[in-house]
């Protein structure tokens, strides 16, 4: 195309729902005399397709574009992304090469990419209703959301550090104005991350350190009462160490530990500090047969919500086994499962240790991935899921 290198591609997906989660589900809650219907978007016979393209205008600069459309009986979503990608081989490429040229030296320590994108999201305008036919509290239908976004990755070739930046602004008024009776909504994100990774004779280890600021202002529908603005503003500090240690004879230890401290400075949770941990680790085994890989991990998620010193704690504990077999031609099959242990997922008051609610999720899944042609891959899979819930507050 115009004598330049280009990439074009696309994918097509079909999804449907089976079983008792179809068309919403009516539950009678204990302690209440009336039934409450839990509305769910009908995901039956959902068709989705994506088209993407990249055109190299120069060796280092490319134009990017993609379009995604998803449709079903009650869901309609379209997303468009356009922008450019710049690959630089030295800081002088993006800052100023003048002093490099004067000295006769060029700083070749850094490598990285910069992406400048504009995303347009037009999601479902579906209205939710309660049992009396009144609009049900939930998402507020809006015009197209436009999202200018900047991402940058930077690698230091003379150390084990790399860096990542992401920032965006989301708005439903940009380029188009607001519809009649539509309320403004917007969101922002600034994410800065430093990553350190190293290898040794028996594996690898590393840590990611990040700061994130997010703000949002979004209307929430309350039926005949209209809507109210829901505001949110948070500061986050994120620490994520990880490792793999080879024990020999096909065995290896793995671990990944995500720790997030979040302080809410705007919104309903103003002044609240939350601490979230999502840790998993276990053992890998690849000695059963040359093309087989097995992993058995313990997953644990802990959340401490500080409600003005009335602290609540949420926990989730699961065993997650995985088995993957490679067929040698790029195809493989994967079996995976999740089993609850201890109290499954539950919440309790920290001071009294009284468990308020419990839920137990069991999941079985299998998928098969097969390369069909250069640039074309097919995937088929099935997941079986059961959830049992118990609310102690209502008996």
């Amino acid at each position: 195309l115009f004598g330049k290198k280009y990439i074009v591609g696309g994918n097509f997906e079909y999804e449907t729902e089976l079983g008792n989660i179809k068309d919403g589900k009516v539950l009678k809650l204990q302690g209440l005399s009336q039934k409450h219907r839990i509305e769910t978007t009908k995901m039956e016979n959902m068709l989705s397709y994506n088209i993407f393209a990249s055109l190299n205008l120069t060796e280092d600069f490319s134009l990017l574009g993609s379009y995604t459309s998803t449709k079903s009986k009650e869901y309609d979503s379209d997303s468009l992304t356009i922008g450019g990608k710049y690959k630089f081989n030295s800081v002088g490429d993006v800052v100023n090469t003048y002093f490099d040229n004067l000295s006769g030296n060029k700083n070749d320590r850094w490598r990285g990419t910069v992406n400048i994108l504009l995303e347009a999201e037009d999601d479902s305008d579906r209205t939710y209703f309660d049992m009396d036919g009144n609009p049900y509290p939930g998402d507020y239908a809006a015009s197209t959301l436009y999202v200018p976004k900047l991402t940058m990755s930077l690698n230091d070739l003379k150390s084990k550090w790399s860096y990542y930046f992401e920032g965006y602004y989301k708005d439903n008024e940009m380029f188009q104005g607001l519809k009649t009776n539509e309320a403004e909504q917007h969101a922002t994100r600034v994410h800065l991350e430093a990553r350190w990774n190293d290898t040794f004779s028996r594996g690898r280890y590393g840590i990611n350190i990040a700061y994130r600021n997010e703000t949002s202002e979004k209307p929430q529908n309350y039926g005949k009462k209209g809507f109210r603005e829901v505001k949110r503003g948070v500061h986050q500090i994120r620490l994520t160490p990880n490792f793999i240690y080879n024990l020999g004879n096909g065995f290896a230890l793995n671990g990944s530990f995500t720790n997030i401290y979040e302080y809410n400075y705007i919104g309903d949770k103003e002044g609240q500090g939350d601490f979230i941990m999502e840790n998993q680790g276990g053992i890998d085994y690849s000695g059963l047969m040359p093309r087989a890989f097995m992993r058995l991990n313990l997953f644990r998620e802990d959340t401490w919500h500080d409600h003005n010193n009335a602290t609540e704690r949420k926990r989730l504990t699961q065993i997650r086994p995985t088995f993957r077999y490679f067929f040698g031609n790029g195809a493989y099959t994967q079996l995976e499962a999740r089993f609850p242990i201890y109290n499954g997922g539950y919440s309790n008051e920290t001071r009294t240790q009284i468990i308020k609610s419990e839920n137990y999720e069991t999941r079985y899944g299998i998928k098969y991935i097969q390369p069909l042609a250069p640039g074309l891959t097919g995937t088929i899979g099935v997941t079986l899921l059961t959830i049992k819930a118990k609310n102690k507050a209502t008996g």
Side-chain angles (χ1 to χ4, degrees), residues 293-297 320-324 334-337:
F293 170 82
M294 292 185 289
R295 169 169 287 178
L296 182 63
N297 270 9
R320 296 184 173 183
T322 301
F323 175 81
R324 182 178 295 179
Q334 178 169 302
L335 291 82
E336 53 190 355

Side-chain angles (χ1 to χ4, degrees), residues 43-78:
M43 308 291 280
E44 301 167 71
N45 302 319
M46 174 170 285
L47 299 176
S48 176
Y49 66 89
N50 168 260
I51 301 171
F52 58 89
S54 172
L55 174 64
N56 294 345
L57 296 182
T58 69
E59 184 178 350
D60 299 322
F61 181 71
S62 303
L63 292 178
L64 309 173
S66 68
Y67 173 74
T68 301
S69 178
T70 304
K71 298 182 185 299
S72 70
K73 184 177 181 180
E74 291 191 2
Y75 187 79
D76 186 356
S77 175
D78 296 279

